[in-house]
């Protein structure tokens, strides 16, 4: 083929690709609601003017915050390799990456901006290590405490904060980050506006009474007395749920024992089929590209009761394979200490932390641990930890459910 003809062909192909990308881009914009489109335009204006380092986007559960942010980034014409996606916790970062469907990875704020060593702990990275990042997108911004926020802002990189200011507050010092957002989404998109779970979440958000009754086919609110009178019913519901959510660790421990007993497990140690939750980040352990992060849940597929000891593994532990809830790829050969499962505490030395994985039973978890996650079928055991903040607690717990909800209060 003559070189001239080849050049014309390449040029035509490039033009077709550009036109195709433009059409896709326009199609995505057409799918945005007027409220979302307004948010995208405001973000473009903010980024272009460069007068402020932060842009905040808040919205109700299911209002399409993720869709809106993706449209914002596309509209800004920034390559994804120059955007860093972060979240306050490992599980929330994992959920963020899952929603991206392979378009980008996400990590924790700590992993992005801090270095860590066994002697000094966390230390703020130099600006040089974040060179090349043009934009940071931070999800679950309501969970960020003041000290981490200040460190994140110190890099003077533009940041889009995404969050829901009706959710639980951070464990540390509270920020006012989401109190006056640049964009507030109030239209529900993920679930129909008349979905009972959304309806219940709005009642909780507004502090209104939630009556004992069925709400359509997918939600029911029942009194705790019914469970006290018929505990077998709770065991049945809890064992079939994707997740049980409660308030107190004491309740969580009791429920996990109860559910395991109902399922026929008698050993205090994890068995094949047990549901587990990771309680400490270990970014070096991966399965299918997904790291072992705090909050990750999965099922034990294989177990060796007593792992062999060597120069690295010196303590009594078991060895398990764990299949995460969201993928068919399995974490192989995880070492879990025996001691936590029999109520004993072992103090690890700095270099040992990477050798063992911290896990607990995951049938029931606290609302704080569930924050940033979403489950199909959820049982919520309502517990008041703080009367002033209970509306946020209940709203957060309810909005973890995407398909079916049993609220026990």
């Amino acid at each position: 083929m003559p070189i001239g003809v080849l050049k014309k062909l390449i040029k035509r192909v490039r033009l077709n690709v550009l036109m195709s990308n433009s059409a896709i881009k326009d199609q995505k914009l057409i799918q945005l609601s007027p409220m979302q489109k307004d948010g995208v335009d405001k973000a473009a204006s903010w980024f272009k003017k460069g007068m402020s380092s932060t842009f905040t986007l808040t919205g109700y559960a299911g209002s399409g915050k993720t869709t809106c942010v993706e449209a914002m980034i596309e509209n800004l014409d920034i390559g994804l390799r120059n955007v860093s996606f972060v979240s306050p916790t490992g599980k929330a970062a994992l959920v963020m990456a899952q929603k991206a469907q392979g378009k980008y990875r996400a990590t924790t704020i700590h992993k992005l901006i801090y270095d860590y060593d066994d002697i000094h702990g966390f230390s703020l990275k130099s600006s040089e290590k974040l060179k090349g990042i043009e934009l940071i997108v931070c999800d679950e911004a309501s969970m960020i405490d003041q000290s981490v926020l200040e460190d994140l802002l110190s890099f003077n990189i533009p940041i889009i904060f995404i969050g829901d200011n009706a959710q639980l507050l951070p464990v540390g010092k509270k920020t006012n980050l989401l109190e006056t957002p640049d964009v507030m989404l109030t239209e529900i998109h993920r679930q129909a506006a008349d979905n009972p779970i959304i309806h219940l979440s709005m009642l909780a958000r507004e502090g209104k009474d939630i009556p004992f009754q069925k709400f359509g086919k997918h939600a029911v609110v029942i009194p705790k007395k019914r469970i006290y009178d018929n505990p077998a019913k709770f065991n049945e519901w809890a064992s079939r749920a994707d997740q049980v959510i409660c308030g107190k660790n004491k309740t969580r421990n009791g429920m996990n024992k109860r559910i395991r007993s109902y399922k026929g497990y008698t050993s205090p140690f994890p068995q094949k089929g047990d549901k587990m939750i990771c309680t400490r980040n270990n970014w070096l352990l991966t399965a299918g590209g997904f790291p072992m992060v705090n909050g990750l849940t999965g099922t034990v597929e294989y177990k060796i009761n007593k792992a062999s000891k060597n120069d690295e593994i010196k303590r009594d532990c078991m060895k398990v394979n764990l299949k995460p809830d969201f993928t068919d790829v399995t974490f192989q050969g995880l070492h879990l200490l025996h001691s936590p499962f029999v109520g004993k505490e072992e103090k690890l030395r700095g270099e040992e932390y990477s050798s063992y994985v911290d896990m607990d039973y995951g049938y029931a978890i606290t609302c704080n641990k569930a924050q940033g996650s979403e489950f199909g079928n959820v049982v919520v055991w309502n517990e008041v930890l703080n009367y002033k903040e209970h509306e946020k607690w209940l709203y957060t717990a309810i909005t973890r459910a995407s398909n079916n909800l049993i609220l026990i209060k």
Side-chain angles (χ1 to χ4, degrees):
M1 182 181 294
I3 294 178
V5 176
L6 183 60
K7 286 183 176 179
K8 289 181 179 180
L9 181 60
I10 292 173
K11 186 174 182 180
R12 185 177 299 173
V13 170
R14 285 176 176 169
L15 180 60
N16 287 338
V17 169
L18 288 172
M19 291 176 66
S20 176
N21 288 342
S22 177
I24 292 172
K25 184 173 180 178
D26 290 340
Q27 185 180 16
K28 285 184 178 180
L29 289 176
I30 290 172
Q31 292 174 348
L32 296 175
S33 70
M35 186 177 290
Q36 290 173 322
K37 180 65 169 63
D38 180 61
V40 170
D41 292 340
K42 286 182 178 178
S45 176
W46 159 77
F47 192 77
K48 184 177 180 180
K49 291 178 180 178
M51 297 179 65
S52 169
S53 62
T54 64
F55 185 90
T56 54
L57 167 68
T58 67
Y60 301 151
S63 59
K65 296 186 289 294
T66 301
T67 300
C68 192
V69 169
E70 287 182 354
M72 287 177 179
I73 295 169
E74 186 173 349
N75 196 45
L76 296 178
D77 280 332
I78 304 175
L80 287 178
R81 69 179 62 184
N82 301 116
V83 181
S84 185
F85 297 86
V86 298
S87 194
T89 68
K91 181 60 185 291
L94 186 60
V95 171
M96 193 180 188
Q98 286 177 264
K99 288 180 180 179
Q101 298 180 332
K103 286 177 283 190
Y104 55 79
R105 298 278 183 181
T107 186
T108 60
I109 298 173
H110 276 70
K111 189 170 176 63
L112 176 68
I113 68 172
Y114 297 112
D115 284 320
Y116 179 84
D117 64 62
D118 297 332
I119 299 175
H120 302 98
F122 288 103
S123 60
L124 197 64
K125 290 181 179 179
S126 65
S127 298
E128 186 67 23
K129 290 187 176 182
L130 272 66
K131 188 177 181 180
I133 298 177
E134 298 180 38
L135 176 69
I136 295 173
V137 177
C138 181
D139 199 7
E140 299 293 346
S142 63
M143 299 169 68
I144 305 174
D145 70 24
Q146 185 63 36
S147 61
V148 174
L149 176 62
E150 291 172 0
D151 285 344
L152 185 58
L153 295 175
S154 70
F155 289 91
N156 294 316
I157 298 173
I159 307 172
I160 295 177
F161 288 102
I162 317 163
D164 185 342
N165 54 15
Q167 287 196 27
L168 285 171
L169 298 173
V171 176
K173 187 178 179 181
K174 175 186 173 183
T175 73
N176 59 359
L177 187 61
L178 301 181
E179 289 183 2
T180 54
D182 295 291
V183 176
M184 174 71 178
L185 301 178
T186 57
E187 297 173 350
I188 306 304
H189 297 277
R190 186 183 66 204
Q191 297 156 304
D194 59 350
N195 183 290
I197 296 174
I198 291 296
H199 174 65
L200 289 174
S201 75
M202 292 300 103
L203 292 179
R205 184 180 187 128
E206 296 165 8
K208 295 181 178 178
D209 180 59
I210 299 179
F212 297 116
Q213 66 179 66
K214 283 186 177 180
F215 291 83
K217 296 180 180 180
H218 301 286
V220 62
V221 182
I222 64 174
K224 288 182 179 179
K225 184 180 183 302
R226 180 175 168 186
I227 299 302
Y228 297 143
D229 293 341
N230 186 8
K233 180 58 68 175
F234 175 82
N235 294 338
E236 179 187 342
W237 288 339
S239 65
R240 290 164 51 189
D242 295 315
Q243 194 60 66
V244 177
I245 297 173
C246 59
K248 302 174 183 178
N249 277 313
K250 182 179 179 180
T251 306
R252 173 184 64 82
N253 289 329
M255 285 183 170
N256 279 321
K257 289 179 181 178
R258 182 173 174 173
I259 296 168
R260 290 190 76 239
S261 176
Y262 178 77
K263 287 178 168 287
Y265 297 116
T266 57
S267 170
F269 301 110
Q271 304 297 311
K272 183 178 179 180
D274 256 323
K275 181 177 180 178
M276 309 299 294
I277 182 169
C278 176
T279 57
R280 176 171 57 85
N281 290 331
N282 193 325
W283 295 93
L284 299 178
L285 291 174
T286 61
F290 292 102
M292 176 64 69
V293 296
N294 188 359
L296 179 146
T297 54
T299 304
V300 175
E301 287 201 330
Y302 173 79
K303 177 199 172 188
I304 297 176
N305 290 326
K306 194 169 184 179
S308 301
K309 294 183 180 181
N310 52 42
D311 290 341
E312 183 182 357
I313 305 300
K314 300 177 182 179
R315 298 176 184 263
D316 292 337
C317 64
M318 67 199 83
K319 193 174 183 179
V320 304
N321 293 348
L322 187 85
K323 180 185 174 299
D325 295 336
F326 55 86
T327 178
D328 291 330
V329 182
T330 302
F331 285 94
Q332 302 281 336
L334 305 178
H335 290 92
L336 280 60
L337 291 170
H338 285 156
S339 51
F341 296 99
V342 290
K344 297 179 181 179
E345 185 178 348
E346 279 190 74
K347 195 167 184 179
L348 297 177
R349 300 182 184 90
E351 67 275 7
E352 289 185 299
Y353 279 100
S354 60
S355 300
Y356 305 98
V357 178
D358 290 353
M359 285 198 170
D360 201 349
Y361 295 110
Y363 301 101
I365 61 177
T366 63
C367 188
N368 289 83
K369 184 69 75 174
Q371 193 170 3
S373 299
E374 184 178 285
F375 310 94
N377 306 309
V378 173
V379 174
V380 173
W381 183 268
N382 185 40
E383 290 187 296
V384 179
L385 306 180
N386 181 325
Y387 283 99
K388 291 183 179 180
E389 301 296 336
H390 186 63
E391 290 172 10
K392 291 181 180 291
W393 186 97
L394 187 56
Y395 173 83
T396 303
I398 289 172
T399 53
R400 300 312 92 199
S402 59
N403 297 333
N404 298 289
L405 171 69
I406 298 175
L407 173 59
I408 304 169
K409 70 186 190 79

